[in-house]
Amino acid sequence: MYPARFDYAAPSSLDEALSLVSERGDQAKVLAGGQSLIPLMKLRFATPELIVDLNRIPGLDYIEESGDHLRVGALARNNDLVESEVLRDGYGAMAAAAPQISDPLVRNLGTLAGSLAHCDPAGDWGSVMLSLGGEVVARDAGGERTIPIDELLQGPFTTALEPTEVITEVRVPRPTAAAGSTYLKLERKVGDYATVAAAVALELDDGTISRAGIALTAVGPKNLRAEDAEGALSEAEPGDEAFEEAARLAAQACEPTSDVRGSAEYKRAAARTLVKRGLQTALEKARGA
């Protein structure tokens, strides 16, 4: 199918883009990579009256550490994240997830910010950001606000963004020296959506766990943060016993459905295995192994 008719604008500044979105409200859609929007338009699940293309706006493709955060601009592509030394050096879950995002075409064009705005429950970036405690900067013509990922992701393809707001930046807290994280993904074939995936992050303080982040992909109506599992690890001694209990609690929090990728029971068991493996890997990274 072909998309319905629409107007097209390619502003050269962010202020111009926000003004256009403000004028049309929920009848306007923002285009960065288009890897989610264009298929929806072809199927006519989305029929915007105006497409606002951000790609001519300079200065939105950065990946940099600033102060206490990693900052990723709205036009930083997935492949930019794959190649980023900053991610490889300190943000293991992001470095592990980036090359597993779909296929080369999607990685060349798709963006982290766009994926979060799309809010696909089978999307990888939502879980990674939940585990790392990320947040987004959302702007409209009247100003900007910061939205924690927990609040941004509300349900299947549903976010806390207002119709006139655009994600301009994604922020991730800079990890401590004794920190490690990873992303493990089970898929039927390379480039497929996850059957199950787990994002895991640990921070240590004097040998005990000061912070744990655990989030799961494709086992619920949105990317799922396993809060009980995180709580069980708080101030715990890292090791098999603590990790097994956390993995059990994470699997218990899942809400999987049976489909062509596997039964609900299989997905819950896979989540348990991936979480335990992820915790072991994160611990090794935190200890500098």
Side-chain angles (χ1 to χ4, degrees), residues 30-110:
V30 170
L31 176 73
Q35 299 305 291
S36 301
L37 177 61
I38 291 174
L40 290 177
M41 291 175 63
K42 286 185 175 181
L43 293 170
R44 301 206 178 189
F45 291 150
T47 56
E49 294 179 359
L50 172 67
I51 295 297
V52 180
D53 188 342
L54 302 182
N55 285 285
R56 296 184 186 177
I57 300 174
L60 289 179
D61 58 351
Y62 53 85
I63 303 169
E64 62 186 26
E65 287 184 306
S66 177
D68 295 332
H69 288 86
L70 170 74
R71 301 169 59 237
V72 180
L75 292 181
R77 311 296 172 177
N78 288 315
N79 258 349
D80 295 332
L81 295 168
V82 171
E83 297 170 1
S84 170
E85 291 186 11
V86 174
L87 264 58
R88 287 197 294 270
D89 290 343
Y91 302 85
M94 295 180 71
Q100 298 186 75
I101 304 298
S102 192
D103 55 34
L105 177 60
V106 171
R107 291 195 293 273
N108 280 333
L109 294 173

Side-chain angles (χ1 to χ4, degrees), residues 138-217:
R139 284 190 59 181
D140 62 16
E144 71 176 35
R145 63 178 176 136
T146 302
I147 310 173
I149 297 296
D150 283 294
E151 297 177 17
L152 178 74
L153 308 179
Q154 296 192 337
F157 307 101
T158 305
T159 71
L161 292 170
E162 297 295 333
T164 56
E165 287 183 314
V166 176
I167 295 177
T168 58
E169 181 176 282
V170 180
R171 293 177 181 169
V172 178
R174 190 193 293 257
T176 62
S181 64
T182 193
Y183 186 67
L184 301 179
K185 182 175 180 178
L186 175 64
E187 54 192 350
R188 295 182 300 173
K189 60 180 181 179
V190 175
D192 192 12
Y193 282 109
T195 300
V196 181
V200 176
L202 290 178
E203 293 186 9
L204 305 180
D205 184 13
D206 290 332
T208 60
I209 299 170
S210 58
R211 180 190 178 274
I214 301 173
L216 300 165
T217 305

